[in-house]
Amino acid sequence: MSDNERQEFQGITLEKFRKMALNPNTDQDLLEALSLRHRISRKQALLDEIRLKTVDLYRKDGEIEDLATVMSRKFI
């Protein structure tokens, strides 16, 4: 996405998006692009959170343990 395209999407609040969606003159491609951009951003945030939690889960005394050690402790 170019800087100009990115600027076009900045400042779109939920209220503004709602008004745009209710307006029959609003370009549907723009609405779809805004919606898709939000979903991608949210998915990326969730994936980052999962990665952080996974690292915390396998961390012991500041070091990351290998998966076999963790699993053997949990399930054996």
Side-chain angles (χ1 to χ4, degrees), residues 18-68:
R18 183 177 179 277
K19 286 179 184 177
M20 290 170 66
L22 293 173
N23 182 348
N25 296 326
T26 301
D27 180 15
Q28 294 300 308
D29 289 338
L30 175 61
L31 289 175
E32 181 62 28
L34 288 168
S35 177
L36 185 60
R37 178 184 168 270
H38 175 74
R39 287 181 293 204
I40 290 170
S41 296
R42 181 67 182 136
K43 181 181 177 185
Q44 187 60 49
L46 288 171
L47 288 173
D48 290 344
E49 186 177 343
I50 289 169
R51 279 189 206 100
L52 287 173
K53 290 193 182 287
T54 303
V55 167
D56 285 344
L57 193 73
Y58 295 115
R59 187 179 308 256
K60 180 180 177 184
D61 298 327
E63 294 182 14
I64 296 176
E65 295 181 84
D66 68 3
L67 184 58

Side-chain angles (χ1 to χ4, degrees), residues 1-13 16-17 20 26-35 37:
M1 186 179 284
S2 71
D3 287 338
N4 290 339
E5 290 170 327
R6 201 179 347 252
Q7 286 177 351
E8 180 180 341
F9 291 117
Q10 290 179 344
I12 302 290
T13 63
K16 187 173 181 179
F17 181 83
M20 290 170 66
T26 301
D27 180 15
Q28 294 300 308
D29 289 338
L30 175 61
L31 289 175
E32 181 62 28
L34 288 168
S35 177
R37 178 184 168 270

